Amino acid sequence: MLNKLTTVARFIPRVRNARSMGGVPANFKPIRQVCEENKSHMNFMPVPQGSWQEAYNARNSKLNMILLGSLAATLATFGILYQTGCIYLHGPPPAYKSK
């Protein structure tokens, strides 16, 4: 039944909007003009300045400090939990203990 409806629907004339008869609407703007008005064009992108090596070294030193701080915090947390008895590290089973 659906096949019959689709063949019939092909011959039904499509109603078009009377305002778009010209092809291009009256308020048409090129994409470049719209992008420049919204400041999303490549001309508005930031231009790199300065040495990339200096910026890389500064960022890398900052990330290294974050890494060392997180490592210290992890070790301190593990040490405190082990001392308070929250973590119990099981030894080897009795069969594997040396006499």
Side-chain angles (χ1 to χ4, degrees), residues 52-73:
W52 70 270
Q53 186 69 44
E54 291 175 8
Y56 175 80
N57 289 340
R59 189 170 117 229
N60 198 23
S61 66
K62 177 183 169 186
L63 292 176
N64 283 339
M65 290 299 167
I66 293 172
L67 179 65
L68 290 175
S70 64
L71 182 64

Side-chain angles (χ1 to χ4, degrees), residues 2-17:
L2 190 59
N3 291 336
K4 292 179 183 179
L5 288 177
T6 55
T7 55
V8 172
R10 288 184 197 161
F11 299 110
I12 297 174
R14 295 184 181 160
V15 178
R16 295 191 176 191
N17 191 354

Side-chain angles (χ1 to χ4, degrees), residues 83-97:
Q83 284 181 350
T84 58
C86 292
I87 298 176
Y88 177 72
L89 300 177
H90 297 282
Y96 292 112
K97 289 185 179 178

